[in-house]
Coordinates of all heavy atoms in Angstrom, one line a residue:
M1 N -12.9 -0.4 69.8 CA -11.9 -1.4 69.6 C -10.7 -1.1 70.4 O -10.4 0.1 70.6 CB -11.5 -1.3 68.1 CG -10.5 -2.3 67.7 SD -10.3 -2.3 65.9 CE -10.5 -4.0 65.6
D2 N -10.0 -2.1 71.0 CA -8.9 -1.9 71.8 C -7.7 -1.4 71.0 O -7.5 -1.8 69.8 CB -8.5 -3.2 72.5 CG -9.5 -3.5 73.6 OD1 -10.3 -2.6 74.0 OD2 -9.6 -4.7 73.9
E3 N -6.8 -0.8 71.7 CA -5.6 -0.3 71.0 C -4.6 -1.5 70.9 O -4.5 -2.4 71.8 CB -4.9 0.7 72.0 CG -3.5 1.2 71.5 CD -2.9 2.1 72.6 OE1 -3.7 2.8 73.3 OE2 -1.7 2.1 72.7
T4 N -4.1 -1.6 69.7 CA -3.1 -2.7 69.4 C -1.7 -2.3 69.7 O -1.3 -1.3 69.2 CB -3.2 -3.2 68.0 OG1 -4.6 -3.6 67.7 CG2 -2.3 -4.4 67.7
R5 N -1.1 -3.0 70.6 CA 0.3 -2.6 70.9 C 1.1 -3.9 71.3 O 0.5 -4.9 71.6 CB 0.4 -1.6 72.0 CG -0.1 -2.1 73.3 CD -0.1 -0.9 74.3 NE -0.6 -1.3 75.6 CZ 0.0 -1.9 76.6 NH1 1.3 -2.1 76.4 NH2 -0.5 -2.3 77.7
Q6 N 2.4 -3.8 71.2 CA 3.2 -4.9 71.6 C 3.7 -4.7 72.9 O 4.2 -3.6 73.3 CB 4.4 -5.1 70.6 CG 5.2 -6.3 70.7 CD 6.2 -6.5 69.6 OE1 6.2 -5.7 68.7 NE2 7.0 -7.5 69.7
Q7 N 3.7 -5.7 73.8 CA 4.1 -5.6 75.1 C 5.7 -5.6 75.2 O 6.3 -6.2 74.3 CB 3.7 -6.8 76.0 CG 2.2 -6.7 76.4 CD 1.9 -7.8 77.4 OE1 2.3 -8.9 77.2 NE2 1.1 -7.5 78.4
E8 N 6.2 -4.9 76.1 CA 7.6 -4.9 76.4 C 8.0 -6.3 76.8 O 7.4 -6.9 77.7 CB 8.0 -3.9 77.4 CG 7.8 -2.5 77.0 CD 9.1 -1.9 76.5 OE1 10.2 -2.4 76.8 OE2 9.0 -0.9 75.8
N9 N 9.1 -6.9 76.3 CA 9.6 -8.2 76.7 C 11.1 -8.1 76.7 O 11.8 -8.5 75.7 CB 9.1 -9.3 75.8 CG 9.4 -10.6 76.3 OD1 10.1 -10.8 77.2 ND2 8.8 -11.6 75.6
P10 N 11.7 -7.7 77.8 CA 13.1 -7.6 77.9 C 13.9 -8.9 77.8 O 15.0 -9.0 77.2 CB 13.4 -6.9 79.2 CG 12.2 -7.0 80.0 CD 11.1 -7.2 79.0
S11 N 13.2 -10.0 78.2 CA 13.9 -11.3 78.1 C 14.1 -11.7 76.6 O 15.0 -12.4 76.3 CB 13.2 -12.3 78.9 OG 12.1 -12.8 78.2
A12 N 13.1 -11.3 75.8 CA 13.3 -11.7 74.4 C 14.5 -11.0 73.8 O 15.2 -11.5 73.0 CB 12.0 -11.3 73.6
H13 N 14.7 -9.7 74.1 CA 15.8 -9.0 73.6 C 17.1 -9.6 74.1 O 18.0 -9.8 73.3 CB 15.8 -7.5 74.1 CG 16.9 -6.7 73.6 ND1 17.0 -6.2 72.3 CD2 18.1 -6.3 74.2 CE1 18.1 -5.5 72.2 NE2 18.8 -5.6 73.3
R14 N 17.2 -10.0 75.3 CA 18.4 -10.7 75.9 C 18.6 -12.0 75.2 O 19.7 -12.4 74.9 CB 18.2 -10.9 77.4 CG 18.4 -9.7 78.2 CD 18.5 -10.0 79.7 NE 17.4 -10.7 80.2 CZ 16.3 -10.2 80.8 NH1 16.2 -8.9 80.8 NH2 15.4 -10.9 81.2
S15 N 17.5 -12.8 74.8 CA 17.7 -14.1 74.2 C 18.3 -13.9 72.8 O 19.0 -14.8 72.4 CB 16.3 -14.8 74.1 OG 15.8 -15.0 75.4
F16 N 17.9 -12.9 72.1 CA 18.3 -12.8 70.7 C 19.5 -11.9 70.5 O 20.0 -11.7 69.4 CB 17.2 -12.3 69.8 CG 16.1 -13.3 69.7 CD1 15.0 -13.3 70.4 CD2 16.3 -14.4 68.8 CE1 14.0 -14.3 70.3 CE2 15.3 -15.4 68.6 CZ 14.2 -15.3 69.4
H17 N 20.0 -11.3 71.6 CA 21.2 -10.5 71.6 C 22.2 -11.0 72.6 O 22.6 -10.2 73.5 CB 20.9 -9.0 71.8 CG 20.0 -8.4 70.7 ND1 18.7 -8.5 70.8 CD2 20.3 -7.9 69.5 CE1 18.2 -7.9 69.7 NE2 19.2 -7.6 68.9
T18 N 22.6 -12.2 72.5 CA 23.5 -12.8 73.5 C 24.9 -12.2 73.6 O 25.5 -12.2 74.6 CB 23.6 -14.3 73.3 OG1 24.1 -14.5 71.9 CG2 22.3 -15.0 73.4
E19 N 25.3 -11.7 72.4 CA 26.6 -11.0 72.5 C 26.7 -9.8 73.4 O 27.7 -9.5 74.0 CB 27.1 -10.6 71.1 CG 26.3 -9.5 70.4 CD 25.0 -10.0 69.8 OE1 24.7 -11.2 69.7 OE2 24.1 -9.2 69.4
E20 N 25.6 -9.2 73.7 CA 25.5 -8.1 74.6 C 25.3 -8.5 76.0 O 25.8 -7.9 77.0 CB 24.3 -7.1 74.2 CG 24.4 -6.4 72.9 CD 23.2 -5.6 72.7 OE1 22.6 -5.1 73.6 OE2 22.8 -5.6 71.5
H21 N 24.5 -9.6 76.2 CA 24.0 -9.9 77.6 C 24.5 -11.1 78.2 O 24.5 -11.3 79.4 CB 22.4 -10.0 77.5 CG 21.8 -8.7 77.0 ND1 21.6 -7.6 77.8 CD2 21.3 -8.4 75.8 CE1 21.0 -6.7 77.1 NE2 20.8 -7.1 75.9
A22 N 25.1 -12.1 77.4 CA 25.5 -13.3 78.0 C 27.0 -13.2 78.3 O 27.8 -12.5 77.7 CB 25.3 -14.5 77.0
P23 N 27.4 -14.0 79.3 CA 28.9 -14.0 79.6 C 29.6 -14.7 78.5 O 29.1 -15.4 77.7 CB 29.0 -14.8 80.9 CG 27.7 -15.6 80.9 CD 26.7 -14.8 80.2
G24 N 30.9 -14.5 78.4 CA 31.7 -15.1 77.4 C 31.8 -16.6 77.6 O 31.4 -17.1 78.6
K25 N 32.3 -17.3 76.6 CA 32.4 -18.7 76.6 C 33.4 -19.1 77.7 O 34.5 -18.5 77.8 CB 32.9 -19.3 75.3 CG 31.8 -19.2 74.2 CD 32.3 -20.0 73.0 CE 31.1 -20.1 72.0 NZ 31.4 -21.0 70.9
G26 N 33.1 -20.2 78.3 CA 34.0 -20.8 79.3 C 35.1 -21.7 78.7 O 35.2 -21.7 77.4
S27 N 35.7 -22.5 79.5 CA 36.8 -23.3 79.0 C 36.2 -24.6 78.3 O 36.9 -25.3 77.6 CB 37.7 -23.8 80.1 OG 36.9 -24.5 81.1
G28 N 34.9 -24.8 78.4 CA 34.3 -25.9 77.7 C 34.0 -27.1 78.7 O 34.5 -27.0 79.9
R29 N 33.4 -28.0 78.2 CA 33.1 -29.2 79.1 C 34.2 -30.2 79.1 O 34.9 -30.4 78.1 CB 31.8 -29.7 78.5 CG 31.5 -31.1 78.7 CD 30.1 -31.5 78.1 NE 30.2 -32.3 76.9 CZ 30.5 -33.6 77.0 NH1 30.8 -34.2 78.1 NH2 30.6 -34.3 75.9
K30 N 34.4 -30.8 80.2 CA 35.4 -31.9 80.3 C 34.8 -33.2 79.9 O 33.7 -33.6 80.3 CB 35.9 -32.0 81.7 CG 36.7 -30.8 82.1 CD 37.2 -30.9 83.5 CE 38.0 -29.6 83.9 NZ 38.3 -29.5 85.3
V31 N 35.5 -33.9 79.0 CA 35.0 -35.2 78.5 C 35.4 -36.2 79.6 O 36.6 -36.3 80.0 CB 35.7 -35.6 77.2 CG1 35.3 -36.9 76.7 CG2 35.4 -34.5 76.2
S32 N 34.4 -37.0 80.0 CA 34.7 -38.0 81.1 C 35.5 -39.2 80.5 O 35.6 -39.4 79.3 CB 33.4 -38.5 81.6 OG 32.7 -39.4 80.7
R33 N 36.0 -40.0 81.4 CA 36.8 -41.1 81.1 C 36.0 -42.1 80.3 O 36.5 -42.7 79.3 CB 37.4 -41.8 82.4 CG 38.3 -42.9 82.1 CD 39.0 -43.4 83.4 NE 38.2 -43.3 84.6 CZ 37.5 -44.3 85.1 NH1 37.4 -45.4 84.5 NH2 36.8 -44.1 86.3
Q34 N 34.7 -42.3 80.7 CA 33.9 -43.2 80.0 C 33.6 -42.8 78.5 O 33.4 -43.6 77.7 CB 32.5 -43.4 80.7 CG 32.6 -44.1 82.0 CD 33.0 -43.2 83.2 OE1 33.2 -42.0 83.0 NE2 33.1 -43.7 84.4
E35 N 33.5 -41.5 78.3 CA 33.2 -41.0 77.0 C 34.4 -41.2 76.0 O 34.2 -41.2 74.8 CB 32.8 -39.6 77.0 CG 31.4 -39.3 77.6 CD 31.1 -37.9 77.7 OE1 31.7 -37.1 78.4 OE2 30.1 -37.5 76.9
K36 N 35.6 -41.2 76.6 CA 36.8 -41.3 75.7 C 36.9 -42.6 75.1 O 37.4 -42.7 74.0 CB 38.0 -41.0 76.6 CG 38.2 -39.6 77.0 CD 39.4 -39.4 77.8 CE 39.5 -37.9 78.3 NZ 40.6 -37.7 79.1
N37 N 36.4 -43.7 75.7 CA 36.5 -45.0 75.1 C 35.2 -45.4 74.4 O 34.1 -44.9 74.8 CB 36.7 -46.1 76.2 CG 38.0 -45.8 77.0 OD1 39.0 -45.4 76.3 ND2 38.0 -46.0 78.3
P38 N 35.2 -46.2 73.3 CA 34.0 -46.6 72.7 C 33.2 -47.5 73.6 O 33.7 -48.1 74.4 CB 34.5 -47.3 71.4 CG 35.9 -47.7 71.8 CD 36.4 -46.7 72.7
P39 N 31.8 -47.5 73.4 CA 31.0 -48.3 74.2 C 31.3 -49.8 74.0 O 31.7 -50.2 72.9 CB 29.6 -48.0 73.8 CG 29.7 -47.4 72.4 CD 31.1 -46.7 72.4
P40 N 31.1 -50.6 75.0 CA 31.3 -52.0 74.9 C 30.3 -52.7 73.9 O 29.2 -52.2 73.7 CB 31.2 -52.6 76.3 CG 30.3 -51.6 77.0 CD 30.6 -50.3 76.3
G41 N 30.7 -53.8 73.3 CA 29.8 -54.5 72.5 C 30.0 -54.2 71.0 O 31.0 -53.5 70.6
T42 N 29.1 -54.7 70.2 CA 29.2 -54.5 68.7 C 28.1 -53.6 68.3 O 27.1 -53.4 68.9 CB 29.2 -55.8 68.0 OG1 28.0 -56.4 68.3 CG2 30.4 -56.7 68.4
V43 N 28.3 -53.1 67.1 CA 27.2 -52.2 66.5 C 26.1 -53.1 66.0 O 26.3 -54.2 65.4 CB 27.8 -51.5 65.3 CG1 26.7 -50.7 64.6 CG2 28.9 -50.6 65.7
A44 N 24.9 -52.7 66.4 CA 23.7 -53.5 66.0 C 23.4 -53.3 64.5 O 23.4 -52.2 64.0 CB 22.5 -53.1 66.9
E45 N 23.0 -54.4 63.8 CA 22.6 -54.3 62.4 C 21.2 -54.8 62.3 O 20.8 -55.7 63.0 CB 23.6 -55.1 61.6 CG 25.0 -54.7 61.7 CD 25.7 -54.5 60.4 OE1 25.1 -54.7 59.4 OE2 26.8 -54.0 60.5
S46 N 20.5 -54.2 61.4 CA 19.1 -54.5 61.3 C 19.0 -55.8 60.5 O 19.7 -56.0 59.5 CB 18.3 -53.4 60.5 OG 17.0 -53.8 60.3
D47 N 18.0 -56.7 60.9 CA 17.8 -57.9 60.1 C 16.7 -57.8 59.1 O 16.5 -58.6 58.2 CB 17.3 -59.1 61.1 CG 18.4 -59.5 62.1 OD1 19.6 -59.2 61.8 OD2 18.1 -60.1 63.1
S48 N 15.9 -56.7 59.3 CA 14.8 -56.5 58.4 C 15.1 -55.7 57.2 O 16.2 -55.0 57.1 CB 13.6 -55.9 59.1 OG 14.0 -54.6 59.6
R49 N 14.2 -55.7 56.2 CA 14.4 -54.9 55.0 C 13.7 -53.6 55.0 O 12.8 -53.4 55.8 CB 13.9 -55.7 53.8 CG 14.6 -57.0 53.6 CD 14.1 -57.8 52.4 NE 12.7 -58.2 52.7 CZ 11.8 -58.6 51.8 NH1 12.2 -58.7 50.5 NH2 10.6 -58.9 52.1
R50 N 14.2 -52.7 54.2 CA 13.5 -51.4 54.1 C 12.2 -51.4 53.4 O 12.0 -52.4 52.6 CB 14.5 -50.4 53.4 CG 15.8 -50.2 54.2 CD 16.8 -49.4 53.4 NE 16.2 -48.2 53.0 CZ 16.7 -47.4 52.1 NH1 17.9 -47.6 51.6 NH2 16.2 -46.3 51.7
G51 N 11.4 -50.5 53.6 CA 10.1 -50.4 52.9 C 10.2 -50.4 51.4 O 9.4 -51.0 50.7
E52 N 11.2 -49.8 50.9 CA 11.4 -49.8 49.4 C 11.6 -51.2 48.9 O 11.2 -51.5 47.8 CB 12.6 -48.9 49.0 CG 12.3 -47.4 49.3 CD 12.7 -47.0 50.7 OE1 13.0 -47.9 51.6 OE2 12.8 -45.8 51.0
E53 N 12.3 -52.0 49.6 CA 12.6 -53.4 49.2 C 11.3 -54.2 49.1 O 11.1 -55.0 48.2 CB 13.6 -54.0 50.0 CG 15.0 -53.4 49.9 CD 15.9 -53.8 51.0 OE1 15.6 -54.6 51.8 OE2 17.1 -53.3 51.0
Y54 N 10.4 -54.0 50.1 CA 9.1 -54.7 50.1 C 8.3 -54.2 48.9 O 7.6 -55.0 48.3 CB 8.4 -54.4 51.4 CG 8.9 -55.2 52.6 CD1 9.6 -54.6 53.6 CD2 8.6 -56.6 52.7 CE1 10.1 -55.3 54.7 CE2 9.1 -57.3 53.8 CZ 9.8 -56.6 54.8 OH 10.3 -57.3 55.8
A55 N 8.3 -52.9 48.7 CA 7.4 -52.3 47.6 C 7.9 -52.9 46.3 O 7.0 -53.1 45.4 CB 7.5 -50.8 47.7
K56 N 9.1 -53.1 46.0 CA 9.6 -53.6 44.7 C 9.1 -55.0 44.5 O 8.8 -55.3 43.3 CB 11.1 -53.6 44.7 CG 11.7 -52.2 44.6 CD 13.2 -52.3 44.6 CE 13.9 -51.0 44.6 NZ 15.3 -51.1 44.7
E57 N 8.9 -55.8 45.5 CA 8.5 -57.1 45.3 C 7.0 -57.3 45.2 O 6.5 -58.1 44.5 CB 8.9 -58.0 46.6 CG 10.4 -58.2 46.6 CD 10.7 -59.0 47.9 OE1 9.8 -59.5 48.6 OE2 11.9 -59.2 48.1
S58 N 6.2 -56.5 45.9 CA 4.8 -56.7 46.0 C 4.1 -56.0 44.8 O 4.5 -54.9 44.4 CB 4.2 -56.2 47.3 OG 4.2 -54.8 47.3
D59 N 3.1 -56.7 44.3 CA 2.2 -56.1 43.3 C 0.8 -56.2 43.9 O 0.1 -57.1 43.5 CB 2.4 -56.8 42.0 CG 1.6 -56.1 40.9 OD1 1.4 -54.9 41.0 OD2 1.3 -56.8 39.9
E60 N 0.4 -55.3 44.7 CA -0.8 -55.3 45.4 C -2.0 -55.0 44.4 O -1.9 -54.1 43.6 CB -0.9 -54.4 46.6 CG 0.1 -54.7 47.7 CD -0.1 -53.7 48.8 OE1 -1.2 -53.5 49.3 OE2 0.9 -53.1 49.2
E61 N -3.0 -55.8 44.5 CA -4.2 -55.6 43.7 C -4.8 -54.3 44.0 O -5.0 -53.9 45.1 CB -5.2 -56.7 43.9 CG -4.8 -58.0 43.3 CD -5.9 -59.0 43.4 OE1 -7.1 -58.6 43.3 OE2 -5.6 -60.2 43.6
G62 N -5.2 -53.6 42.9 CA -5.9 -52.3 43.1 C -5.0 -51.1 43.3 O -5.5 -50.0 43.5
R63 N -3.7 -51.3 43.3 CA -2.8 -50.2 43.5 C -2.0 -50.0 42.2 O -1.5 -51.0 41.6 CB -1.9 -50.4 44.7 CG -2.7 -50.4 46.0 CD -1.8 -50.5 47.2 NE -2.5 -50.6 48.4 CZ -2.7 -49.6 49.2 NH1 -2.2 -48.4 49.0 NH2 -3.4 -49.8 50.3
R64 N -1.8 -48.7 41.8 CA -1.0 -48.4 40.6 C 0.0 -47.4 40.9 O -0.3 -46.4 41.6 CB -1.9 -47.9 39.5 CG -2.9 -49.0 39.0 CD -3.6 -48.4 37.8 NE -4.2 -47.1 38.1 CZ -5.4 -46.9 38.3 NH1 -6.3 -47.8 38.3 NH2 -5.9 -45.6 38.5
E65 N 1.2 -47.5 40.4 CA 2.2 -46.5 40.6 C 1.9 -45.4 39.5 O 1.5 -45.7 38.4 CB 3.6 -47.0 40.3 CG 4.1 -47.9 41.5 CD 5.5 -48.3 41.3 OE1 6.3 -47.5 40.7 OE2 5.9 -49.4 41.7
T66 N 2.1 -44.1 39.9 CA 2.0 -43.0 39.0 C 3.3 -42.3 38.7 O 3.3 -41.2 38.3 CB 0.9 -42.1 39.4 OG1 1.2 -41.6 40.7 CG2 -0.5 -42.7 39.5
G67 N 4.4 -42.9 39.1 CA 5.7 -42.3 38.9 C 6.1 -41.4 40.0 O 5.5 -41.4 41.1
R68 N 7.2 -40.7 39.8 CA 7.7 -39.9 40.9 C 7.2 -38.4 40.7 O 7.0 -38.0 39.6 CB 9.3 -39.9 40.8 CG 9.8 -41.3 41.1 CD 11.3 -41.3 41.3 NE 11.7 -42.6 41.8 CZ 11.8 -42.9 43.0 NH1 11.7 -42.0 44.0 NH2 12.2 -44.1 43.4
R69 N 7.0 -37.7 41.8 CA 6.4 -36.4 41.7 C 7.2 -35.4 42.5 O 7.8 -35.7 43.5 CB 5.0 -36.5 42.2 CG 4.1 -37.4 41.4 CD 2.8 -37.5 41.9 NE 2.1 -36.2 41.7 CZ 0.8 -36.0 41.9 NH1 0.1 -36.9 42.3 NH2 0.3 -34.8 41.6
G70 N 7.1 -34.2 42.1 CA 7.6 -33.0 42.8 C 9.1 -33.0 42.8 O 9.8 -33.8 42.2
R71 N 9.6 -31.9 43.5 CA 11.0 -31.7 43.6 C 11.8 -32.8 44.3 O 12.9 -33.2 44.0 CB 11.3 -30.4 44.3 CG 12.6 -29.8 44.0 CD 12.7 -28.4 44.5 NE 12.7 -28.4 46.0 CZ 12.8 -27.3 46.7 NH1 12.8 -26.1 46.2 NH2 12.9 -27.4 48.0
S72 N 11.1 -33.4 45.3 CA 11.7 -34.5 46.1 C 11.8 -35.8 45.3 O 12.5 -36.7 45.7 CB 10.9 -34.7 47.4 OG 9.6 -35.2 47.1
Q73 N 11.0 -35.9 44.2 CA 11.0 -37.1 43.4 C 10.5 -38.4 44.2 O 11.0 -39.5 44.0 CB 12.3 -37.4 42.7 CG 12.6 -36.4 41.7 CD 11.6 -36.5 40.5 OE1 11.5 -37.5 39.9 NE2 10.9 -35.4 40.3
R74 N 9.6 -38.2 45.1 CA 9.0 -39.3 45.9 C 8.1 -40.1 45.0 O 7.4 -39.5 44.2 CB 8.3 -38.8 47.1 CG 9.3 -38.2 48.1 CD 8.5 -37.9 49.4 NE 9.5 -37.6 50.4 CZ 9.1 -37.1 51.6 NH1 7.8 -36.9 51.9 NH2 10.0 -36.7 52.5
P75 N 8.0 -41.4 45.2 CA 7.1 -42.2 44.5 C 5.7 -41.9 44.9 O 5.4 -41.6 46.0 CB 7.5 -43.7 44.8 CG 8.4 -43.6 46.0 CD 8.9 -42.2 46.1
S76 N 4.8 -42.0 43.9 CA 3.4 -41.8 44.2 C 2.5 -42.8 43.5 O 3.0 -43.5 42.6 CB 3.0 -40.4 43.7 OG 3.1 -40.3 42.3
G77 N 1.3 -42.9 43.9 CA 0.4 -43.9 43.3 C -1.1 -43.6 43.6 O -1.4 -42.7 44.4
T78 N -1.9 -44.5 43.1 CA -3.4 -44.4 43.3 C -3.8 -45.8 43.7 O -3.1 -46.8 43.5 CB -4.1 -43.9 42.1 OG1 -3.9 -44.8 41.0 CG2 -3.7 -42.5 41.7
K79 N -5.1 -45.9 44.2 CA -5.7 -47.2 44.4 C -7.1 -47.2 43.9 O -7.8 -46.2 44.0 CB -5.6 -47.5 45.9 CG -6.2 -46.6 46.9 CD -5.9 -47.1 48.3 CE -6.5 -46.2 49.3 NZ -6.2 -46.7 50.7
D80 N -7.5 -48.4 43.5 CA -8.9 -48.6 43.0 C -9.8 -49.0 44.2 O -9.3 -49.2 45.3 CB -8.9 -49.8 42.0 CG -8.1 -49.4 40.8 OD1 -8.0 -48.2 40.5 OD2 -7.5 -50.3 40.1
A81 N -11.0 -49.3 43.9 CA -12.0 -49.6 45.0 C -11.6 -50.9 45.7 O -11.8 -51.0 46.9 CB -13.4 -49.7 44.4
E82 N -11.0 -51.9 45.0 CA -10.7 -53.1 45.7 C -9.6 -53.0 46.7 O -9.3 -53.8 47.5 CB -10.4 -54.3 44.7 CG -9.2 -54.0 43.8 CD -9.6 -53.6 42.4 OE1 -10.8 -53.2 42.2 OE2 -8.8 -53.6 41.5
A83 N -8.8 -51.9 46.6 CA -7.7 -51.7 47.6 C -8.2 -51.1 48.9 O -7.5 -51.1 49.9 CB -6.7 -50.8 47.0
F84 N -9.5 -50.5 48.9 CA -10.0 -50.0 50.1 C -10.5 -51.1 51.0 O -11.0 -52.1 50.6 CB -11.2 -49.0 49.8 CG -10.7 -47.7 49.2 CD1 -10.7 -47.5 47.9 CD2 -10.4 -46.7 50.1 CE1 -10.3 -46.3 47.4 CE2 -10.0 -45.5 49.6 CZ -9.9 -45.3 48.2
T85 N -10.3 -50.9 52.3 CA -10.6 -52.0 53.3 C -11.7 -51.6 54.2 O -11.9 -52.2 55.2 CB -9.4 -52.3 54.1 OG1 -8.9 -51.2 54.8 CG2 -8.3 -52.9 53.2
G86 N -12.5 -50.5 53.9 CA -13.6 -50.1 54.7 C -14.8 -51.0 54.7 O -14.8 -52.0 54.0
V87 N -15.8 -50.7 55.5 CA -17.0 -51.6 55.6 C -17.7 -51.6 54.3 O -18.1 -52.7 53.9 CB -17.9 -51.0 56.7 CG1 -19.2 -51.8 56.8 CG2 -17.2 -51.1 58.1
D88 N -17.9 -50.5 53.6 CA -18.6 -50.4 52.4 C -17.8 -49.6 51.4 O -18.2 -48.5 51.0 CB -20.0 -49.8 52.6 CG -20.9 -49.8 51.4 OD1 -20.6 -50.7 50.5 OD2 -21.8 -49.0 51.3
P89 N -16.7 -50.1 50.8 CA -16.0 -49.4 49.8 C -16.8 -49.2 48.6 O -17.5 -50.1 48.2 CB -14.7 -50.2 49.6 CG -15.1 -51.6 50.1 CD -16.1 -51.4 51.1
Q90 N -16.8 -48.0 48.0 CA -17.6 -47.7 46.8 C -16.8 -48.1 45.6 O -15.6 -47.7 45.4 CB -17.9 -46.2 46.8 CG -18.7 -45.8 48.0 CD -20.0 -46.5 48.1 OE1 -20.8 -46.5 47.2 NE2 -20.3 -47.0 49.3
D91 N -17.4 -48.9 44.7 CA -16.8 -49.3 43.5 C -17.3 -48.4 42.4 O -18.5 -48.4 42.0 CB -17.1 -50.8 43.2 CG -16.3 -51.3 42.0 OD1 -15.5 -50.5 41.4 OD2 -16.5 -52.5 41.6
P92 N -16.4 -47.6 41.8 CA -16.9 -46.6 40.8 C -17.4 -47.2 39.5 O -18.2 -46.6 38.8 CB -15.7 -45.7 40.6 CG -14.5 -46.5 41.0 CD -15.0 -47.4 42.1
S93 N -17.0 -48.4 39.2 CA -17.4 -49.1 38.0 C -18.8 -49.6 38.1 O -19.5 -49.9 37.1 CB -16.5 -50.2 37.6 OG -16.6 -51.3 38.5
G94 N -19.4 -49.8 39.3 CA -20.7 -50.3 39.5 C -20.8 -51.8 39.3 O -21.8 -52.4 39.5
Q95 N -19.6 -52.5 39.0 CA -19.6 -53.9 38.9 C -19.5 -54.6 40.3 O -18.8 -54.1 41.1 CB -18.4 -54.3 38.1 CG -18.3 -53.8 36.7 CD -19.4 -54.4 35.8 OE1 -19.7 -55.5 36.0 NE2 -20.0 -53.6 34.9
P96 N -20.2 -55.7 40.5 CA -20.1 -56.4 41.8 C -18.6 -56.9 41.9 O -18.1 -57.4 40.9 CB -21.1 -57.5 41.7 CG -21.6 -57.6 40.3 CD -21.2 -56.3 39.6
R97 N -18.1 -56.9 43.1 CA -16.8 -57.4 43.3 C -16.8 -58.8 43.8 O -17.7 -59.2 44.5 CB -16.1 -56.5 44.3 CG -15.8 -55.1 43.8 CD -15.2 -54.2 44.8 NE -16.1 -54.0 45.9 CZ -15.9 -54.2 47.2 NH1 -14.7 -54.5 47.6 NH2 -16.8 -53.9 48.1
N98 N -15.8 -59.6 43.5 CA -15.6 -60.9 44.0 C -15.1 -60.8 45.4 O -14.2 -60.1 45.7 CB -14.7 -61.7 43.1 CG -15.2 -61.9 41.8 OD1 -16.4 -61.9 41.5 ND2 -14.3 -62.1 40.8
G99 N -15.7 -61.6 46.3 CA -15.2 -61.4 47.7 C -15.3 -62.7 48.4 O -14.9 -63.4 49.1

C-alpha cells in the first residue's frame, strides 16, 4: 500500500492567510460618471402571476395537498394514478380509468 501524505501547496497557504501575503488595500475603485446616474428608462414590472397564485386557483385531479412540512414549511402533496402522464401509469385501485 502506498504511503498517504498531503502534498505541499504553498499557494493554498497564501490564499487563506491574506493578511500575511497580500498587499494592503488600495484607495478603492473609482465610480464612473455613468454609474453615478440611474439607468435610463423605467423599472420593469412583471405581468404574470407567481406560481403560488396559480396553485391557489387550480384543483388538479389526482393531486392532494398534505400540508406544510419541515423547518422551511414548504407546501407538500401527493398524486394519484390519474395525475401521472406516462405511457402506462399504474392504477393501484385496479379500476379501469376513464380516458
Side-chain angles (χ1 to χ4, degrees):
M1 181 174 235
D2 290 337
E3 175 184 329
T4 303
R5 64 184 177 88
Q6 189 171 357
Q7 283 185 321
E8 293 264 339
N9 186 351
S11 78
H13 180 78
R14 287 191 301 268
S15 296
F16 291 99
H17 296 90
T18 55
E19 65 280 350
E20 293 176 36
H21 302 284
K25 286 189 172 186
S27 61
R29 150 179 113 74
K30 293 180 180 168
V31 179
S32 71
R33 184 171 34 94
Q34 290 87 357
E35 289 178 294
K36 289 180 183 177
N37 299 323
T42 58
V43 175
E45 303 233 354
S46 175
D47 294 341
S48 62
R49 297 180 296 163
R50 296 174 51 192
E52 292 87 349
E53 294 168 1
Y54 284 107
K56 286 178 187 175
E57 288 179 7
S58 74
D59 188 24
E60 294 183 53
E61 286 186 35
R63 295 183 183 260
R64 294 187 309 256
E65 288 187 31
T66 57
R68 297 187 172 267
R69 299 180 67 169
R71 202 170 71 181
S72 66
Q73 291 296 298
R74 289 188 174 171
S76 63
T78 61
K79 59 184 179 177
D80 298 332
E82 61 258 14
F84 285 94
T85 59
V87 173
D88 185 23
Q90 302 298 310
D91 189 1
S93 68
Q95 300 290 327
R97 292 178 293 129
N98 296 333

